[in-house]
Amino acid sequence: MVQAQRGLIQLVNASRLRIGEQIRLEEALFRASSSGSWCVFSQCQVQQPTVVMGISGKPKELVDVQRVGKDNIPVLRRFTGGGTVIVNPDTLFVSFIVDSKALLPGVKVFPREIMRWSEGFYTPIFAGLCGPDNGFHLEDTDYVFDEVKFGGNAQGISGKRWVHHTSFLWDYDTTQMGYLSNVCYVTRFYNPQSPIASIYSFSVIVSFLNA
């Protein structure tokens, strides 16, 4: 792989890749210490809903195994930590793969510090899209508007390199959420009596804020 120029981030539009191919691409870029820093973004390309788990996820605890098997839903495991998501063409992905010494030496290579950096990165973007008083912030490990979740994060760290994935829900199908067995229960600001009531698609939030 060609040595990347220090201090620059390279952009990759991976929208033509299937989700499994994108995961493998991101892992290869993350593992290659000479590859520099990257931002990989895409609109998910799948023929059917697909479950993606973190590296330590246990299917029996996170997925409705019987329903997934009955409907032939693919289940993939990515190389980073974080939660389990159901993805479809309404899912938008953004992953930062960073050589911290070259690109962001001021950001400590710890999960919470990286999360805070990402919040600062996205704040002006959503201010431009939705106005400055949109309520966007980081809540635990999720992006929310006020207390409404619309994006989840996962990370991996190796030495001075780190990867920060985000899955943004442009839209979602409540029936597909049923393939997961623990939707939102682990996030402290959700109503446990109605586990999907506090997830909103980004398209609905943008329409509401711009009304």
Side-chain angles (χ1 to χ4, degrees):
M1 184 174 292
V2 177
Q3 177 74 34
Q5 187 173 347
R6 292 173 63 85
L8 297 179
I9 190 164
Q10 301 162 93
L11 301 179
V12 177
N13 183 347
S15 294
R16 293 187 178 183
L17 298 181
R18 292 174 293 182
I19 180 59
E21 294 171 331
Q22 181 173 337
I23 291 172
R24 290 193 292 273
L25 170 65
E26 292 180 2
E27 182 173 12
L29 294 174
F30 177 61
R31 303 295 183 197
S33 60
S34 63
S35 69
S37 299
W38 300 80
C39 176
V40 182
F41 60 95
S42 70
Q43 179 179 1
C44 182
Q45 298 298 314
V46 289
Q47 297 298 316
Q48 62 185 128
T50 299
V51 174
V52 181
M53 301 189 307
I55 191 169
S56 60
K58 299 178 180 179
K60 290 184 179 180
E61 296 178 3
L62 302 171
V63 177
D64 185 335
V65 176
Q66 183 175 1
R67 185 176 176 191
V68 162
K70 177 183 177 182
D71 294 346
N72 294 315
I73 300 299
V75 179
L76 305 179
R77 190 187 301 275
R78 62 178 180 271
F79 64 100
T80 54
T84 302
V85 294
I86 181 82
V87 302
N88 60 34
D90 291 314
T91 308
L92 308 179
F93 296 117
V94 181
S95 293
F96 290 97
I97 302 165
V98 173
D99 178 347
S100 62
K101 290 179 65 177
L103 186 67
L104 294 170
V107 178
K108 295 180 180 179
V109 187
F110 296 105
R112 181 52 53 183
E113 297 292 330
I114 296 168
M115 286 288 183
R116 279 198 285 263
W117 170 82
S118 75
E119 180 184 32
F121 175 85
Y122 283 113
T123 293
I125 294 175
F126 291 122
L129 287 172
C130 307
D133 299 321
N134 56 62
F136 168 77
H137 65 283
L138 181 71
E139 178 74 27
D140 195 12
T141 62
D142 298 313
Y143 297 138
V144 303
F145 286 106
D146 293 325
E147 293 191 353
V148 175
K149 174 181 176 177
F150 73 103
N153 299 294
Q155 295 178 343
I157 297 173
S158 178
K160 295 297 183 181
R161 292 182 69 75
W162 52 263
V163 56
H164 178 84
H165 306 288
T166 302
S167 301
F168 291 108
L169 301 178
W170 179 252
D171 204 348
Y172 74 93
D173 185 334
T174 56
T175 61
Q176 293 178 10
M177 291 292 185
Y179 291 121
L180 308 182
S181 60
N182 69 335
V183 178
C184 297
Y185 281 109
V186 297
T187 307
R188 58 187 172 84
F189 58 91
Y190 287 112
N191 176 2
Q193 302 303 318
S194 182
I196 61 175
S198 292
I199 303 178
Y200 274 63
S201 66
F202 187 44
S203 60
V204 171
I205 293 170
V206 170
S207 298
F208 175 77
L209 291 172
N210 288 329

